[in-house]
Amino acid sequence: MHPVATIWRSRAAAEGSVHAYAVRIQRDLAALDPSQAVVDLAARMVDDEARHVEVCLDVAARFDGQRGARPAPRGGVDLVDDAPAALQPLLRLFGSCIGESIAAVWIDRSAADVRAPWLREVLRAHLADEVHHARIGWAHLASNRVSEDDREELGAWLPRLLDASLTAWRWFPDVWPADGFPEEGLPSHAVTFAAIDEAVDEVVLPGFARYGVAIDGVVR
Ligand SMILES: [Fe+2]
Ligand SMILES: [Fe+2]
């Protein structure tokens, strides 16, 4: 088995989970009275994440010549299912926003050592998508559709949302060595951890703070 292909297939499974999450966010969106811009961005995310599954399988096939079947989405735990039902759509939206904001920085770093033009293009397109996906939450939070009470609830839940995202992002399948395969778009664990920290410190926490969500309960 080609490890690079195996890892890209594992990423396809992860993209499948994100797609399922995006479908759920889109379905619950009406409860949040979102702007049309947010509705449009969420629809785009559903389409993009379905495509990302295929893109990851295509990349895997470039390395071992086997297209393979669409993998089952990696199972995820719904970390907010014990929150009050009325709050869950908001919490899922921002759980996603945190993950997509980290993804944007990480994919940018993933491209640093990639030389093959076709793979650079894959990562460039993927980065552009992630920036749009992260904007769903930020655009909603910047609007007047989020009440002061909801901003307060969000601040109370932020440590848990962030912790869930960090746990997922810091996890590597066994086949992903510490040094990664940087030329194949699979950065080292250290580069990944640095990208995560940078995203949290420079995008996620300032974003919440700017729009009136308390970040002082966050411990990393
Ligand atoms: Fe994706
Ligand atoms: Fe995404």
Side-chain angles (χ1 to χ4, degrees):
M1 251 193 318
H2 194 301
V4 171
T6 303
I7 296 171
W8 275 97
R9 282 199 184 88
S10 160
R11 284 180 63 169
E15 295 286 355
S17 305
V18 178
H19 175 252
Y21 205 78
V23 167
R24 184 152 195 194
I25 285 172
Q26 188 185 37
R27 199 181 60 207
D28 290 351
L29 216 47
L32 300 175
D33 184 31
S35 66
Q36 189 59 45
V38 169
V39 170
D40 292 346
L41 283 166
R44 175 187 170 152
M45 182 176 175
V46 170
D47 291 346
D48 289 347
E49 301 300 358
R51 192 177 63 255
H52 291 173
V53 176
E54 303 300 329
V55 168
C56 290
L57 293 176
D58 288 345
V59 173
R62 295 284 292 244
F63 289 101
D64 72 356
Q66 295 170 36
R67 185 58 172 69
R70 215 182 148 95
R74 195 183 289 158
V77 183
D78 185 359
L79 287 145
V80 300
D81 62 359
D82 60 336
L87 199 56
Q88 289 184 17
L90 187 78
L91 297 179
R92 286 198 193 92
L93 184 74
F94 285 99
S96 168
C97 176
I98 293 168
E100 298 291 325
S101 297
I102 293 172
V105 175
W106 181 74
I107 290 173
D108 181 61
R109 300 302 179 274
S110 298
D113 293 318
V114 173
R115 295 288 164 262
W118 68 270
L119 187 52
R120 290 188 70 82
E121 176 53 24
V122 164
L123 295 172
R124 188 206 59 74
H126 203 146
L127 171 59
D129 290 345
E130 304 303 26
V131 170
H132 286 290
H133 303 166
R135 281 181 54 216
I136 301 171
W138 301 127
H140 190 57
L141 199 58
S143 75
N144 59 5
R145 316 281 177 122
V146 184
S147 70
E148 286 309 313
D149 284 353
D150 279 350
R151 284 172 211 269
E152 204 171 308
E153 289 282 11
L154 207 42
W157 278 83
L158 185 57
R160 187 157 150 192
L161 293 178
L162 189 61
D163 190 54
S165 227
L166 293 177
T167 300
W169 270 101
R170 287 172 175 154
W171 179 84
F172 290 91
D174 290 341
V175 69
W176 194 317
D179 289 342
F181 297 96
E183 290 180 18
E184 283 80 27
L186 304 169
S188 68
H189 296 192
V191 165
T192 296
F193 296 147
I196 293 167
D197 287 347
E198 182 183 332
V200 171
D201 290 339
E202 295 181 20
V203 180
V204 174
L205 294 179
F208 282 113
R210 173 171 180 186
Y211 296 116
V213 175
I215 60 170
D216 33 317
V218 171
V219 180
R220 284 184 287 120

